[in-house]
Amino acid sequence: ERRCSEGCCALAHSMLAASAAILCAVSTAYWTLAPRMPTGVALRAPRQLIAPACSALRGRGGATALGSSRAGRVRAAAPAVEQAEAVSDAPEVVSMDELVSLCKRRGFIFPSSEVYGGFAGFYDYGPLGVELRNNIKRAWWKDFVHKREDMVGLDSSIIGSPQIWKASGHIDGFSDPMVDCKESKLRFRADQLFWARAEVGGELLGYVSLLESGDMEERALAMATKMKKKAGRQGELSLSPLKDFTEATAEEQPLIPSPETGNPGALTAPRDFNLMFQTSVGAMSDAASTAFLRPETAQGIFTNFKNVVSTGRVKVPFGIAQIGKAFRNEIAPRSGLIRQREFTQAEIEYFVHPQKKAHPKFAAVGSLQLELLPSPQQLAAQPAVRMSLAEAVAAGTVANETLGFFIGRTYQFLVRAGCKAEHIRFRQHLPDEMAHYACDCWDAEIEMSLGWVECVGIADRSAYDLTVHAKATNTPLIAEEPFEVPVKVERYGLSKKAAAALGKSFKKDAKRVAGKLDEMSAEELKALKATAEAEGKASLTVSDCGGSDTFEIANELLVFEATTTIMHVEKYTPNVIEPSFGIDRILTAIYEHTYSVRAKEGDAPEEPPPKKGDKKDSTADAKPGVLAFPPEVAPYKCVVLPLDMRIVRECEYAGMRDALRATLSEQGLQYKVDESGASIGKRYARSDELGIPFAITIDEDCLKQFKADAASATATLRERDSTRQVRLPLSTIAQTVAQLCSASSLTWDELDADFAGTGADPKVAYLKQMGVEEALSAAVTALAKEKPADPMKWLSARFAAL
């Protein structure tokens, strides 16, 4: 109704002589038939006659943007294509095995080195998988970098100086607890191997062990019941709460059976296993050439902080984003893409003032209602709570606005990428999970068949990373910000004369010693001076990238003084808010959340049973699945389908197809052409299984129109999820698909509403019944032939004469 009113206003000045009914007909037909396409639209007869004149109408400024939705309007599809559409309203639930089978069968994911028997923890992306992953990465980059004026990009090297990992703590502390089974020679992560004590009537029956899974409690009880039956014990069976192997005492460890063999005493005590891949750089392979593949992309951002600040002319707050490969030598890689040894990360390090963590755009996400699982809720065994981000920040549940902003943006991106909103929650780290330097940390968890899986980590890392790298390299990694009012700063430190004497005495080590003295507080310096006065000298230990050394400093070199300085610029080490996305885990969630199974389409007959002796086709039993990828990230945006082989054999078909392919390529769209002899229903089902959101069908009407006038040719555009169809000009169909597959406001429902038939709209049905539609079609056709200088005046005169 709004669009109808706008159309009436636009035409009112030039159509005063027309009656109200005719005016309503013109405007209604106009917003139905002339949406925001650069050229005219041609629908089924008699509306096909209107196409040549739509551009003339649009030239008068009567067009309005698509945006109205007419609920319940369903278009009667072209008969030749409609027969292929018979869709079940209730998709069938599928298992993870079916999903994995589909991904391999259709070229999304392959086990790495499969011809050699595979290589655990590594996967290769096939033709469709690499397109999907690249589209996800592009959407992420556009969302978090291109649309943000406070964000820049970076691509750091996979192998860097080993000293980076020493300073960051990865060499000493980046490890998982590992357990070996001495009988099966298998290795397990100790924190993923769970056990429980089984008792009957209060007396020990034994221990059960199993690997982490979503149904551990049920499996453990079943194992204990079987153990009780085998032992022939009578009485009430009880099972202690499940714990991981790291929580077992030294006395309990020998009693816990191996999950592989079931025999107690086969497991070794847990020990730390460093997860970094080690390699050698250079011609020699010795300790000096040892390097590591990066276990995360973040450290490359921190070590380039000074370069970005000095060359990018950025000011805090700002962020540095990076997408790249990371490598972790997982003890027990499993669950497909969930836990790999080589994976893709998309990370942001957002630098803020330690005391200024408000975000100017927090209001844009503050009203989002999210499922939050704060630490107190978990400790009290309570369910997640639903609250807005504004409420969470105000209550202190989320530490600050910047952290809350990235939680909100993460949620919006996951939904946009294809994850279902009702299966996303944010869980706060428990106190024993939180890093010692972190202020607050939340994980975006997505519910899958494996349970709730952490896919994004959003942490306030304080100033830890920049501080440790600055200390290790003796390089200031700081930001500067002018004070609004100059500030007096009192300082207690070495006098200028003492600093000069220190340089002469320690020569090349003077800078290290002076730097250590600068870091010490006034109390520490006074205590050091007191020791030097009592003993004539004092010892000072300096630990940095040069090593750990102890220096003896004579009493006469330790001359300190208090000074007052007027500071005009504040120098500080920024804090960091870090959203870290696991792209491969998000892809797994997208596969699960978008996959469904529906009934075979109407004209796809059942396959005949194989004859005796025939080799069974591995895809014969495959169910017709649908991967409902959002159009923006789908591997292919559309498929071009001739209705049947008769169309392919027509002389004009090849030229029409090639012209369409050229326009699709010009729009930057990935597409496929399926000219196989299968029925149209089977080819629709095949493209649905590949996640292709749109299908362009070329039928006999299209060929006839193309022969008569190539500019007036129309084709059917089918949408994957609803299987609804509209008929559009062949010349503009590529641009329409491009709009539907971009982040623009055009949706399929809007397109379908504006190009749909009139059967469900009583107003338009009335106009057709009264002959207004036919009169309008004739008038516009005559207008196209006459081509008057003022088309609106010409139309007004024609309608006034009726």
Side-chain angles (χ1 to χ4, degrees):
E1 292 172 358
R2 175 183 60 80
R3 185 165 293 150
C4 181
S5 299
E6 292 173 353
C8 288
C9 293
L11 298 173
H13 291 293
S14 59
M15 302 192 67
L16 292 175
S19 66
I22 296 296
L23 183 60
C24 180
V26 172
S27 58
T28 301
Y30 178 66
W31 61 253
T32 303
L33 303 172
R36 61 178 186 198
M37 303 300 173
T39 58
V41 116
L43 299 183
R44 302 185 313 277
R47 283 193 168 84
Q48 292 173 357
L49 302 174
I50 301 176
C54 285
S55 58
L57 292 174
R58 186 172 293 103
R60 298 300 299 260
T64 58
L66 292 176
S68 66
S69 59
R70 285 177 277 169
R73 165 166 282 197
V74 180
R75 185 190 59 81
V81 185
E82 186 184 39
Q83 295 176 0
E85 305 295 333
V87 185
S88 170
D89 292 332
E92 180 183 338
V93 177
V94 296
S95 68
M96 172 61 81
D97 290 340
E98 289 175 318
L99 186 61
V100 171
S101 173
L102 167 70
C103 288
K104 182 179 178 182
R105 187 174 74 250
R106 290 306 189 192
F108 285 97
I109 304 167
F110 306 129
S112 183
S113 310
E114 188 174 22
V115 294
Y116 286 97
F119 202 46
F122 298 91
Y123 285 86
D124 298 333
Y125 282 84
L128 273 75
V130 71
E131 292 290 346
L132 177 63
R133 186 178 63 174
N134 286 342
N135 289 343
I136 292 289
K137 292 194 294 185
R138 274 192 288 267
W140 186 92
W141 196 264
K142 182 188 297 182
D143 219 30
F144 287 96
V145 182
H146 289 168
K147 291 184 178 180
R148 298 283 302 278
E149 66 279 2
D150 57 348
M151 199 76 67
V152 296
L154 184 74
D155 187 6
S156 61
S157 63
I158 289 175
I159 298 177
S161 169
Q163 297 180 43
I164 294 174
W165 311 112
K166 180 67 176 177
S168 65
H170 282 80
I171 289 180
D172 297 327
F174 191 68
S175 59
D176 279 340
M178 181 175 67
V179 173
D180 288 329
C181 175
K182 292 179 285 188
E183 295 176 350
S184 65
K185 309 302 180 185
L186 293 178
R187 287 180 171 177
F188 310 98
R189 272 185 58 170
D191 57 348
Q192 294 177 352
L193 194 162
F194 284 76
W195 60 275
R197 175 187 172 99
E199 296 181 351
V200 175
E203 296 184 358
L204 176 65
L205 173 65
Y207 289 80
V208 296
S209 69
L210 67 169
L211 296 178
E212 183 180 19
S213 67
D215 59 347
M216 289 189 300
E217 289 78 6
E218 294 82 356
R219 290 172 54 208
L221 183 59
M223 294 168 68
T225 303
K226 184 177 180 180
M227 185 188 301
K228 174 188 173 183
K229 184 177 181 180
K230 185 176 181 179
R233 299 277 291 272
Q234 300 295 322
E236 182 181 0
L237 175 66
S238 62
L239 203 63
S240 67
L242 287 169
K243 300 179 181 179
D244 69 60
F245 198 74
T246 62
E247 299 177 88
T249 64
E251 294 74 22
E252 290 172 324
Q253 289 174 4
L255 304 176
I256 298 173
S258 165
E260 184 66 22
T261 65
N263 298 326
L267 297 175
T268 64
R271 65 186 188 279
D272 286 337
F273 174 76
N274 194 284
L275 299 179
M276 288 199 298
F277 278 104
Q278 185 172 309
T279 186
S280 295
V281 176
M284 301 295 292
S285 181
D286 52 22
S289 66
T290 299
F292 303 92
L293 303 185
R294 64 184 181 193
E296 63 179 21
T297 62
Q299 298 306 318
I301 296 178
F302 296 127
T303 55
N304 278 289
F305 173 80
K306 186 176 181 181
N307 292 332
V308 173
V309 171
S310 61
T311 61
R313 304 186 66 83
V314 292
K315 293 182 179 180
V316 172
F318 77 96
I320 304 176
Q322 177 171 212
I323 300 178
K325 290 281 191 177
F327 306 83
R328 295 180 185 177
N329 194 10
E330 294 285 352
I331 298 169
R334 57 198 175 95
S335 304
L337 299 180
I338 298 298
R339 190 172 295 280
Q340 300 180 85
R341 289 175 168 138
E342 176 186 346
F343 53 95
T344 302
Q345 280 187 319
E347 289 192 306
I348 294 171
E349 306 302 331
Y350 194 79
F351 301 96
V352 297
H353 191 287
Q355 281 78 48
K356 301 175 184 177
K357 294 185 180 180
H359 197 284
K361 296 185 179 179
F362 177 72
V365 299
S367 60
L368 285 176
Q369 295 282 334
L370 303 180
E371 291 287 335
L372 302 181
L373 191 58
S375 175
Q377 247 71 20
Q378 300 173 62
L379 295 174
Q382 295 177 351
V385 296
R386 190 167 187 83
M387 66 171 70
S388 71
L389 280 173
E391 293 170 338
V393 172
T397 304
V398 175
N400 54 73
E401 284 190 0
T402 300
L403 188 65
F405 173 79
F406 281 107
I407 289 175
R409 295 293 290 109
T410 296
Y411 169 81
Q412 291 174 330
F413 173 76
L414 292 176
V415 173
R416 175 182 164 193
C419 299
K420 293 183 178 179
E422 62 270 24
H423 296 288
I424 300 173
R425 74 179 184 189
F426 291 85
R427 186 186 69 84
Q428 189 177 32
H429 280 202
L430 295 170
D432 60 344
E433 292 181 277
M434 197 91 69
H436 65 89
Y437 51 79
C439 298
D440 196 7
C441 186
W442 292 77
D443 287 339
E445 296 184 334
I446 304 177
E447 190 177 21
M448 310 181 203
S449 59
L450 302 171
W452 288 98
V453 178
E454 171 200 345
C455 294
V456 186
I458 307 139
D460 184 337
R461 297 173 64 98
S462 66
Y464 173 78
D465 301 280
L466 290 180
T467 300
V468 297
H469 288 300
K471 182 178 180 180
T473 61
N474 200 23
T475 301
L477 300 177
I478 59 174
E480 297 184 358
E481 188 173 317
F483 286 114
E484 294 183 3
V485 178
V487 177
K488 288 185 178 181
V489 177
E490 294 186 357
R491 179 181 176 276
Y492 186 80
L494 278 174
S495 66
K496 291 183 178 180
K497 185 179 289 186
L502 200 69
K504 293 180 180 179
S505 178
F506 288 96
K507 301 187 184 307
K508 64 177 183 179
D509 293 320
K511 189 175 181 180
R512 297 177 63 197
V513 174
K516 179 64 177 178
L517 292 172
D518 284 340
E519 294 176 1
M520 298 172 67
S521 65
E523 291 72 19
E524 291 172 330
L525 291 176
K526 290 176 182 179
L528 187 70
K529 178 63 177 177
T531 301
E533 288 178 341
E535 301 178 4
K537 61 181 180 180
S539 298
L540 183 70
T541 300
V542 179
S543 299
D544 53 22
C545 61
S548 181
D549 299 296
T550 300
F551 299 94
E552 301 291 337
I553 307 175
N555 178 46
E556 57 270 18
L557 296 177
L558 295 175
V559 179
F560 303 110
E561 62 181 3
T563 58
T564 300
T565 306
I566 303 298
M567 301 291 294
H568 296 273
V569 176
E570 179 185 12
K571 297 182 180 181
Y572 60 90
T573 302
N575 281 18
V576 174
I577 310 296
E578 179 194 69
S580 178
F581 292 72
I583 298 297
D584 305 278
R585 293 188 176 193
I586 294 173
L587 276 171
T588 302
I590 293 172
Y591 286 131
E592 283 204 27
H593 288 197
T594 60
Y595 185 60
S596 62
V597 174
R598 62 189 180 197
K600 288 188 177 182
E601 309 217 30
D603 69 338
E606 294 292 333
E607 294 289 339
K611 297 179 181 179
K612 187 175 181 180
D614 287 352
K615 187 175 180 180
K616 185 177 179 181
D617 184 359
S618 61
T619 64
D621 297 331
K623 298 179 181 179
V626 179
L627 281 167
F629 298 132
E632 185 182 0
V633 302
Y636 293 104
K637 307 307 182 187
C638 67
V639 59
V640 178
L641 304 172
L643 186 61
D644 52 40
M645 293 306 294
R646 292 175 300 171
I647 304 297
V648 177
R649 287 190 286 268
E650 291 286 343
C651 299
E652 292 80 5
Y653 169 75
M656 184 191 313
R657 177 202 59 200
D658 293 343
L660 178 58
R661 294 174 67 173
T663 57
L664 290 170
S665 298
E666 288 173 3
Q667 293 292 333
L669 298 172
Q670 302 114 312
Y671 66 92
K672 288 178 69 70
V673 177
D674 189 347
E675 297 175 345
S676 65
S679 67
I680 188 66
K682 280 189 176 181
R683 283 179 287 152
Y684 279 150
R686 187 184 301 160
S687 66
D688 291 346
E689 198 173 45
L690 298 180
I692 303 175
F694 302 105
I696 301 172
T697 306
I698 299 174
D699 55 17
E700 293 179 359
D701 289 341
C702 183
L703 278 178
K704 291 178 181 177
Q705 294 162 1
F706 188 81
K707 292 176 183 178
D709 180 9
S712 65
T714 62
T716 299
L717 182 66
R718 172 192 184 266
E719 198 260 346
R720 174 199 59 215
D721 302 333
S722 66
T723 71
R724 299 199 305 267
Q725 302 167 13
V726 296
R727 200 162 184 90
L728 300 174
L730 196 63
S731 58
T732 63
I733 204 166
Q735 183 177 353
T736 302
V737 174
Q739 288 179 289
L740 290 166
C741 294
S742 69
S744 68
S745 58
L746 179 61
T747 66
W748 175 262
D749 287 338
E750 292 171 338
L751 182 72
D752 182 61
D754 282 270
F755 283 87
T758 60
D761 192 324
K763 296 192 300 294
V764 181
Y766 165 78
L767 296 172
K768 184 176 182 180
Q769 181 183 356
M770 301 304 294
V772 175
E773 182 187 39
E774 183 177 353
L776 177 62
S777 297
V780 176
T781 302
L783 173 68
K785 293 180 179 179
E786 295 276 342
K787 296 183 174 60
D790 191 339
M792 302 309 294
K793 184 177 180 180
W794 187 93
L795 279 174
S796 298
R798 182 180 178 91
F799 288 133
L802 291 177

